[in-house]
Amino acid sequence: MRFKERNKKILTLLIFFLTISSGSCVEASSRSHISKSKIIPAEVSFYEQVLPSLSGKSVVLVTNPSGIGRYPEKIIKEFKDKKVKIKHLIGLEHGFLGLEEDFSKSPVTMDETFQLPIYHIYKVKNSEIPAILKGADAVVFDVVDMGMRCYTYLSVLKRLMDNLPDPNTKFILLDHPNPALYLGARGEGIQKKFLNFAGEFPSLFFTGMTLGEAAAFYNGEYLGGRVKLNIISPENLKRGFDWEKEGIPWSTPSPNLPMLDSARNYLGLVLLEGVNVSVGRGTQAPFVYFGAPWMNEPEEIISELNEDSKGDYYYQSVFFKPTFGPFKGEICRGLRLTVVNRKYDPIRMAYNLTSIMKKKYKDFKWRQYADGSHNIDFLWGTEKFRESVDAGKTYDEFKASYAESESSANKLIQKYLIY
């Protein structure tokens, strides 16, 4: 009897460990190791083929840790070995190291790593950019983009392409996949009165393109092909790629997008920057947490939000205290967003989330500038997102209002798609 009981216990334990082991295998199989990736980053071709061709030349370098900037020692060594001179650096929104929350207060600073001037384009007038680029044989541009008009790296790309003083200057762009590529061109274009540094590029809210494709599109449609563009593509990248299964590592483009999960959430939650809430900037989970001190009893809207999600994502209640941005140093109540379907509709999520929050909370407000204009209009590109929410329109009604522009944009960009 004891023998049978002992065997039964052993069998039970064996089944338990096999179950745990099986579950671990399933979990492990959802994310491939980088060593198994067949996608070869553009920087490999850059260092092996392109950089040697620049021997004896002078370049302006635009990068941060999402590109070759994550290994500055290699840049210094390889450029020196190949006799390529870095004239100076161009500063993106979050600085060369990608650590800055705020914009630089000065148009030019000295970079400590390279001991070179770094020009912060968002602090420089467009009329001054040609002088900054003058004398360069090439501009080398390498950052990870989000595939969205409201991401400032796209504005920097546009401003540099607009203001190249010498038609013989090469514009070398190391291309990357982005988290929004599956969406295609989505949303609305931007009206002239809403143009801003976080919204200059002539595209819909989601561009539907990689940064390289966007550069080719802009060069072809707006600059008459005058820029000598050299797009270095990642080898074996296809449009329908799966980030985890293909072992593509996430390279952090800013302190607010430290993980791929943050980046996926950002696609929709960025529109909450037009509302009087914190989106988790200055917390351990930016663009995962969002909320405000006034957002009491968030559990009351969770059921409605989770039902509306159709299983693509879900919300949980959370407390957090941001160290930067809205409600800095204050305890906020809010929600934590977890995306389940990697190909969810971020516009639908943002629109329905905003509508439900507005209906539930009397303290909900659209964030406004001193002149009374609305932040959300500059993000989205028109007043339509805000006005549709205020009018109580459904997402389907809202979406129908710009369906024609989406169709036109997707047709227009087709000839510039590389992957």
Side-chain angles (χ1 to χ4, degrees):
M1 189 70 179
R2 286 180 185 174
F3 181 75
K4 287 183 178 179
E5 285 184 9
R6 189 180 66 179
N7 280 353
K8 186 176 181 182
K9 286 181 180 179
I10 292 171
L11 182 60
T12 302
L13 285 170
L14 182 60
I15 291 170
F16 172 76
F17 285 119
L18 283 172
T19 302
I20 294 296
S21 175
S22 174
S24 299
C25 289
V26 171
E27 182 66 26
S29 67
S30 68
R31 187 185 295 268
S32 296
H33 193 274
I34 185 175
S35 63
K36 296 181 179 179
S37 179
K38 295 178 182 178
I39 297 173
I40 301 172
E43 68 178 77
V44 174
S45 295
F46 173 74
Y47 278 122
E48 291 181 355
Q49 300 169 24
V50 180
L51 188 62
S53 72
L54 296 172
S55 182
K57 306 293 185 182
S58 173
V59 305
V60 170
L61 179 61
V62 193
T63 190
N64 68 12
S66 67
I68 58 173
R70 74 179 177 281
Y71 196 172
E73 294 83 1
K74 182 173 182 178
I75 296 174
I76 292 169
K77 180 183 183 302
E78 293 290 337
F79 277 58
K80 184 179 179 180
D81 288 351
K82 303 299 187 297
K83 297 181 173 54
V84 180
K85 178 185 176 183
I86 302 175
K87 190 170 184 284
H88 47 249
L89 309 170
I90 296 294
L92 297 152
E93 178 182 348
H94 299 287
F96 185 83
L97 298 179
L99 300 174
E100 306 302 321
E101 288 280 15
D102 284 318
F103 290 101
S104 170
K105 292 180 172 57
S106 172
V108 58
T109 56
M110 183 62 69
D111 181 78
E112 294 179 3
T113 305
F114 288 82
Q115 288 299 303
L116 288 171
I118 180 166
Y119 289 87
H120 305 283
I121 291 298
Y122 46 83
K123 283 286 183 181
V124 175
K125 295 178 182 177
N126 280 340
S127 60
E128 297 170 330
I129 296 176
I132 295 171
L133 301 179
K134 187 177 180 181
D137 297 298
V139 173
V140 175
F141 196 104
D142 181 24
V143 295
V144 166
D145 177 53
M146 288 297 293
M148 307 173 74
R149 184 185 61 230
C150 67
Y151 207 66
T152 59
Y153 298 172
L154 192 58
S155 295
V156 173
L157 174 70
K158 175 184 176 297
R159 290 186 183 189
L160 295 177
M161 291 180 69
D162 282 340
N163 293 287
L164 278 176
D166 186 344
N168 293 315
T169 300
K170 294 179 181 178
F171 201 103
I172 301 167
L173 190 149
L174 282 66
D175 208 7
H176 297 266
N178 68 61
L181 205 56
Y182 70 92
L183 289 163
R186 293 283 307 279
E188 288 191 275
I190 191 164
Q191 293 177 347
K192 188 175 181 180
K193 62 182 176 180
F194 295 125
L195 291 172
N196 66 99
F197 183 56
E200 284 187 5
F201 197 80
S203 72
L204 302 190
F205 185 71
F206 289 104
T207 67
M209 299 176 278
T210 65
L211 206 57
E213 292 169 340
F217 161 77
Y218 188 65
N219 194 33
E221 296 295 322
Y222 292 88
L223 300 180
R226 71 170 182 261
V227 174
K228 293 181 69 174
L229 194 60
N230 178 12
I231 301 166
I232 308 173
S233 299
E235 290 183 35
N236 304 319
L237 179 65
K238 295 192 177 0
R239 211 160 203 83
F241 73 96
D242 184 298
W243 211 292
E244 284 88 355
K245 288 183 179 178
E246 295 184 38
I248 305 172
W250 175 247
S251 297
T252 304
S254 87
N256 300 299
L257 300 176
M259 304 171 293
L260 184 55
D261 283 346
S262 300
R264 285 199 176 108
N265 288 9
Y266 177 89
L267 303 181
L269 289 187
V270 67
L271 289 166
L272 282 192
E273 300 216 74
V275 175
N276 61 330
V277 299
S278 164
V279 289
R281 290 180 185 269
T283 73
Q284 69 271 43
F287 293 101
V288 175
Y289 297 168
F290 62 93
W294 51 259
M295 201 170 161
N296 60 300
E297 299 184 8
E299 293 87 353
E300 290 190 358
I301 62 173
I302 286 177
S303 293
E304 184 177 0
L305 288 169
N306 285 347
E307 185 178 350
D308 175 74
S309 77
K310 297 181 178 179
D312 285 348
Y313 41 87
Y314 62 88
Y315 300 89
Q316 299 163 273
S317 59
V318 71
F319 290 93
F320 64 93
K321 185 190 288 187
T323 60
F324 176 79
F327 307 116
K328 176 182 176 180
E330 297 184 55
I331 295 176
C332 296
R333 295 198 71 178
L335 300 176
R336 172 189 185 128
L337 172 66
T338 299
V339 171
V340 177
N341 177 5
R342 297 165 184 168
K343 296 189 176 181
Y344 78 113
D345 182 345
I347 300 177
R348 180 184 182 278
M349 184 274 285
Y351 186 85
N352 288 348
L353 170 61
T354 306
S355 299
I356 290 169
M357 287 174 63
K358 183 178 188 296
K359 181 177 65 176
K360 159 67 178 172
Y361 294 107
K362 61 180 178 57
D363 291 315
F364 172 99
K365 291 183 178 64
W366 296 107
R367 196 180 300 283
Q368 289 182 273
Y369 295 113
D371 64 359
S373 59
H374 293 85
N375 178 283
I376 187 68
D377 300 344
F378 287 84
L379 282 167
W380 180 251
T382 76
E383 297 104 330
K384 200 174 290 180
F385 187 98
R386 175 175 54 85
E387 290 178 346
S388 296
V389 170
D390 285 346
K393 291 184 178 180
T394 66
Y395 172 68
D396 288 338
E397 290 173 325
F398 170 59
K399 183 180 178 181
S401 69
Y402 57 83
E404 190 174 330
S405 63
E406 281 190 347
S407 177
S408 298
N410 279 290
K411 289 176 184 175
L412 181 61
I413 67 174
Q414 279 301 311
K415 63 182 176 180
Y416 300 103
L417 303 185
I418 301 170
Y419 312 100

